[in-house]
């Protein structure tokens, strides 16, 4: 029953079952009506309804109905309506559990009567499901469509069958209950029609129990006759399952002392040797001699119990491994937190992620992957103790909730570590998957909890964080969450909120670093962002740019930098100084570059500040190219057509292929400072730098060597043919005014030399 319907439908069935089971008899009508109307919406039906059969009068009546889209109700029209008016339909429902009528007009000749009925009500198509009570068709769950045709769809049919099951049980309850109100006066008359056993149960003040009345069905079920039970209730009470006897007596006592209705479920041994679930309901009354007499009924709910447990299985367990799912995990974790408080013991939550699971899934196929997950689930269950929980979150993620460790944190941690180590080595053992041996490893992240000191959400986050640490640390290992990890996270959060303020509080500044030619003459500048944060001092962009990218703050920061730099360039425009012609490079991060508005923003800022596009260079890193290449080409094309130059930053560290470079409109490559740093000592780095230079010259791009700090590096680069340089050897990045003085002085020195 479980596997064919969608998750969403399962949820619906589950919700329906729970809500009906929780409704009191008085609320039941309302709940059924609510679900009918939800069902109607789902199926796009104009009318959804329940019809019940009355065998005694051979009539049918609509008992519940939900009309949508202004469809007229039928409740009054179908009330004690003779069954004979629907001969074909009722016959079909005896044979098939679901009856779909895709088009009323195409009904077969045998259904002439029905066709007329439906036509009169302007019904175009229908879906009908038989309601089974005690194995017999006792009603219909139906849907009318006034305008739409319907089609047969196995999935919907299975879903409706489940719904009908659940509704059937409730209607059953309702029938029994409504009968219950009346039957006290006329036990005999009704008992025959009852699907269960009707009884009067009397407990005398001395504790003796009898059944003054019990209907004959008791002998079908339990092989006991009314005559046997009238003087002594014990033979029947003895058949109650050992596991349920205590709670049964408790319920009787409670009902007797408080005079409240007696309601319970219990298992009992049937005549045929099978165990059946019974549901009993009855009302107590006090007699003159102080005996208590209950009027009530019990009946077989084995089928319903079974479907309830199937539903529970659906809602709380992972279908592949049968392990608790995320929902049940939450529940178990909440219980574990409670027992930690109660017993003053430590508990632990462990996140387990299989290393490289994706590889096996992709290469060997999903079936093998599934098989591995099943086996992992089994090993986990065999490894932990019976009171621990093994859950699967989905994918290759498993979670353990471990309980009952010492109060002292260090010894608790040591014990938990032992358990996790056992888990790790169990998962390291080779697996046999479809005859092929496979070895795999897990990464395990663990966090401890004690006495509700952490919330459920926090714990899940902590274990997850620790698991990532285990991955980072080379996999197949166990890492405990520690407060340092948390500290880093909190620091990041604090930095993020400070950074948000930075733009508004004018804590950002742009510094400029000169680019020179082989004679040391300025040929450009790079704008480099600085954050002067009170309390943190000068924060390097290397530290906060990645954070700004992750949080999206880079968009406003990037805008601010562009505006600041372009205003500066514009203020230099009219100066009679080398500054007027100096191109300035601005770093643009991938996320900023890929904003659809990027080009138009640059254009608007150029207009607003009056800066010339010839003086602007945009620096992007290789990571910006890793997206949609066509989009990148387009953006670069637009920028170049505006007269802006493009520079590829940190070249050599990314994945740019030659193909890329040829296709894109670039002006400049910047050799990453990592290659320049060791250019004198590391032949590899030297070779790379040389290759980049050769490549640049082949593609007619200019090349800039970044991070030049010494004369030795400079000389080597010059010998390799490099003509553009940037680095501390020439100048550090300087605040704007200092940079202006620096350039003007360089200009004067040059003139002086020229004289
Ligand atoms: P980058 O674009 O590769 O910038 C060059 C970095 O090298 C700068 O670091 C600069 O101060 C440093 N540098 C220059 N000469 C030398 C040298 O001789 N030796 C050494 N060791 N380093 C040198 P900075 O300013 O810390 O910037 C780091 C990175 O932050 C930049 O790398 C750039 O990717 C990013 N960045 C800076 N400003 C911005 C900005 O406004 N927007 C964006 N998106 N990123 C920026
Ligand atoms: Mg740069
Ligand atoms: Mg760089």
């Amino acid at each position: 029953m479980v596997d064919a319907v969608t998750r969403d439908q399962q949820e619906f069935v589950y919700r329906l079952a729970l809500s009906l089971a929780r409704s009191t008899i008085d609320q039941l009508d309302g709940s059924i009506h609510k679900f009918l109307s939800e069902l109607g919406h789902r199926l796009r039906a104009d009318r959804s309804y329940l019809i019940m059969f009355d065998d005694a009068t051979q009539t049918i009546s609509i008992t519940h109905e939900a009309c949508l889209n202004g469809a007229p109700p039928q409740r009054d029209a179908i009330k004690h309506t003779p069954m004979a008016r629907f001969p074909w339909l009722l016959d079909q429902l005896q044979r098939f559990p679901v009856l779909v009528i895709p088009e009323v007009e195409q009904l077969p000749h045998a259904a002439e009567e029905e066709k007329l009925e439906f036509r009169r009500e302007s019904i175009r198509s229908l879906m009908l499901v038989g309601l089974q009570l005690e194995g017999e068709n006792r009603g219909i769950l139906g849907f009318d469509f006034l305008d739409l045709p319907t089609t047969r769809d196995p999935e919907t049919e299975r879903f409706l069958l489940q719904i009908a099951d659940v509704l059937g049980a409730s209607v059953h309850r309702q029938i029994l209950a409504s009968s219950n109100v009346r039957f006290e006066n006329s036990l005999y008359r009704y008992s025959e029609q009852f699907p269960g056993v009707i009884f009067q149960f009397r407990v005398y003040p001395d504790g003796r129990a009898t059944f003054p009345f019990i209907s004959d069905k008791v002998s079908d079920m339990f092989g006991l006759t009314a005559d046997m039970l009238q003087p002594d209730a014990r033979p029947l009470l003895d058949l109650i399952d050992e596991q349920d006897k205590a709670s049964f007596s408790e319920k009787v006592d409670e009902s007797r002392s408080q005079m409240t209705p007696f309601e319970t479920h219990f298992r009992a041994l049937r005549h045929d040797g099978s165990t059946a679930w019974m549901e009993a309901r009855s009302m107590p009354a006090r007699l003159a001699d102080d005996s208590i007499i209950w009027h009530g009924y019990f009946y077989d709910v084995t089928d319903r119990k079974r479907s309830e447990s199937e539903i529970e299985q659906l809602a709380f367990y992972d279908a592949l491994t049968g392990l608790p799912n995320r929902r049940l995990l939450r529940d178990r974790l909440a219980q574990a937190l409670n027992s930690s408080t109660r017993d003053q013991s430590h508990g632990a939550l462990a996140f387990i992620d299989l290393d490289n699971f994706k590889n096996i899934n992709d290469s060997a196929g999903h079936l093998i992957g599934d098989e591995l997950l099943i086996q992992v689930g089994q090993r986990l269950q065999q490894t932990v103790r019976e009171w621990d929980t093994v859950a699967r979150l989905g994918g290759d993620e498993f979670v353990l909730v471990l309980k009952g460790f010492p109060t002292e944190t260090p010894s608790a941690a040591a014990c938990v570590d032992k358990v996790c180590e056992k888990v790790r080595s169990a998962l390291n053992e080779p697996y046999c998957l479809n005859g092929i041996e496979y070895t795999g490893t897990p990464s395990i992240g663990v966090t401890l909890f004690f006495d509700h000191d952490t919330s459920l959400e926090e714990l899940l986050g902590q274990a997850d964080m620790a698991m990532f640490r285990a991955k980072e640390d080379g996999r197949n290992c166990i890492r405990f969450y520690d407060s340092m990890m948390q500290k880093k996270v909190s620091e990041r959060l604090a930095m993020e909120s400070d950074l948000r303020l930075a733009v508004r509080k004018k804590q950002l500044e742009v510094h400029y670093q000169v680019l020179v030619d082989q004679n040391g003459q300025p040929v450009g500048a790079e704008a480099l962002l600085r954050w002067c944060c009170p309390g943190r001092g000068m924060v390097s962009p290397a530290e906060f740019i990645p954070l700004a990218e992750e949080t999206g703050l880079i968009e406003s920061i990037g805008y601010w930098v562009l505006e600041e730099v372009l205003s500066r360039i514009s203020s230099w425009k009219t100066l009679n100084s080398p500054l007027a012609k100096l191109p300035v490079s601005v770093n643009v991060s991938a996320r900023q570059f890929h904003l659809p508005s990027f080009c138009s923003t640059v254009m608007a800022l150029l207009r607003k500040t009056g800066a010339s596009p010839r003086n602007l260079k945009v620096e992007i890193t290789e990571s910006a190219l890793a997206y949609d290449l066509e989009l990148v080409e387009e953006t670069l094309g637009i920028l170049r057509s505006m007269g802006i130059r493009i520079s590829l930053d940190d070249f050599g560290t990314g994945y740019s292929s030659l193909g890329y470079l040829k296709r894109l409109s670039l002006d400049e490559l910047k050799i990453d400072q990592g290659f320049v740093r060791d250019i004198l000592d590391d032949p590899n780095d030297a070779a790379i730098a040389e290759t980049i230079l050769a490549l640049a010259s082949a593609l007619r791009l200019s090349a800039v060597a970044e991070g030049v700090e010494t004369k030795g590096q400079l000389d080597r680069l010059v010998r390799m043919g490099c003509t553009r340089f940037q680095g501390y050897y020439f100048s550090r990045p300087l605040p704007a005014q200092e940079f202006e003085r620096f350039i003007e002085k360089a200009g004067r020195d040059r003139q002086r030399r020229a004289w």
Side-chain angles (χ1 to χ4, degrees), residues 440-456:
T441 57
S443 292
I444 304 178
V446 195
T447 188
L448 296 180
F449 56 85
F450 184 70
D451 196 6
H452 276 106
D453 56 359
T454 350
S455 76
L456 211 131

Side-chain angles (χ1 to χ4, degrees), residues 526 528 587 619 649-650 670 706:
E526 177 171 8
L528 293 162
N587 292 286
E619 272 189 24
D649 205 357
D650 302 344
K670 295 184 84 170
E706 288 187 288

Side-chain angles (χ1 to χ4, degrees), residues 513 526-530 540-542 545 549 554 561 586-589 592 619 621 649-650 670 672-673 677 706-709 726-729 731 733:
Q513 186 179 30
E526 177 171 8
L528 293 162
L529 188 55
R530 294 292 175 262
S540 156
I545 291 286
E549 289 203 349
I554 192 68
V561 171
V586 176
N587 292 286
V588 173
S589 81
Q592 190 186 357
E619 272 189 24
T621 53
D649 205 357
D650 302 344
K670 295 184 84 170
D672 189 67
Q673 46 179 280
R677 193 176 307 127
E706 288 187 288
V708 180
E709 293 185 357
Q726 181 182 352
Y728 296 166
Y729 182 65
S731 165

Side-chain angles (χ1 to χ4, degrees), residues 94-119:
Q94 286 297 341
R95 294 198 240 165
F96 308 107
V98 181
L99 176 60
V100 176
I101 302 176
E103 287 283 1
V104 164
E105 285 313 315
Q106 288 163 17
L107 277 172
H109 189 63
E112 210 49 47
E113 307 219 34
E114 280 84 355
K115 196 193 275 187
L116 289 174
E117 287 280 352
F118 298 146
R119 228 186 236 159

